[in-house]
Amino acid sequence: MRDEWKEMAVLYFLEQLTIPEICEKLEIPGTVCRSRIYRTRVCLKNILGPNYNTD
């Protein structure tokens, strides 16, 4: 996983920061932030595999 995706996973999923908070902290535009969150989510789904249950 790319470093920026790891950072995004920590900020968004673990620390539960909002997108505007992440944008301010990383000094990136909202579109970049949302794109990284999407790519991070896809990467995590690939790592966890199809049998991972979110329930």
Side-chain angles (χ1 to χ4, degrees), residues 25-41:
K25 185 171 188 152
L26 299 180
E27 298 178 353
I28 58 174
T31 54
V32 172
C33 184
R34 286 186 287 280
S35 177
R36 287 184 186 175
I37 290 170
Y38 171 77
R39 290 185 181 120
T40 301
R41 186 176 283 128

Side-chain angles (χ1 to χ4, degrees), residues 15-34:
E15 293 184 15
Q16 298 184 341
L17 295 180
T18 64
I19 290 175
E21 290 171 332
I22 295 170
C23 291
E24 184 177 324
K25 185 171 188 152
L26 299 180
E27 298 178 353
I28 58 174
T31 54
V32 172
C33 184
R34 286 186 287 280

Side-chain angles (χ1 to χ4, degrees), residues 3-20:
D3 287 338
E4 64 259 13
W5 297 352
K6 289 177 187 177
E7 184 176 32
M8 193 60 63
V10 170
L11 295 174
Y12 189 72
F13 298 113
L14 299 179
E15 293 184 15
Q16 298 184 341
L17 295 180
T18 64
I19 290 175

